[in-house]
Structures are given as structure tokens and as C-alpha cells.
Amino acid sequence: PQAAQEEGFGFLSLKSTPWTQVYIDGADYGLTPLYKKQLRTGIHQIEMRNPQQGIIHKQQITIRKDKNLKLDLKL
């Protein structure tokens, strides 16, 4: 049988061109770039906004225990 989802924490490093305001599960994490922000393992919703450029980008990410998910997005 498949093991249960690992409990614990992993990390997200996020860059974007142009800059964006980052929200993870609805919480404001500030402007890109983000470096090794600690998040619980599992699935999270990220939303990236840049009102000056009219950008609203949403995506789902999966954080794995003790891993750093690196995203570099051109929006």
C-alpha cells in the first residue's frame, strides 16, 4: 500500500519575471524572489499578482519533506 503523506516541512524558492506579489494558500508572502520559504508538506495553492502588468497567475504546487521546490517563472 502507498505510504501516508509524509508529515513535516519542505521549502519553496520562487522567482518571477516580472516581479509579483506572492500569496500561498491565501496568505501574503511578499514580493518575489522568495528564498527557501518553509511550508508544510503537501499541496498548496500559489497566486502571483502584478497589478501594473495585469498579471494574475495561479498554480498548484506540491511540497515534499526536506526538499526545496525551485520555480523560475516568466509571466
Side-chain angles (χ1 to χ4, degrees):
Q2 182 71 27
Q5 172 70 43
E6 290 180 283
E7 287 294 316
F9 294 91
F11 303 94
L12 173 64
S13 292
L14 180 58
K15 293 193 286 188
S16 69
T17 306
W19 66 269
T20 53
Q21 186 82 29
V22 180
Y23 300 86
I24 304 172
D25 300 327
D28 186 347
Y29 276 72
L31 301 175
T32 54
L34 300 182
Y35 180 70
K36 284 191 90 168
K37 290 292 180 186
Q38 182 174 279
L39 297 173
R40 287 201 168 279
T41 54
I43 295 170
H44 298 274
Q45 301 294 330
I46 61 174
E47 182 171 327
M48 302 167 72
R49 298 183 196 159
N50 180 323
Q52 294 165 336
Q53 305 274 336
I55 293 168
I56 299 177
H57 173 82
K58 297 180 183 181
Q59 78 181 68
Q60 185 170 287
I61 59 167
T62 301
I63 298 295
R64 306 213 182 279
K65 187 177 170 81
D66 300 327
K67 301 283 189 213
N68 183 23
L69 175 62
K70 295 179 183 175
L71 298 176
D72 188 353
L73 303 174
K74 307 279 187 266
L75 303 173

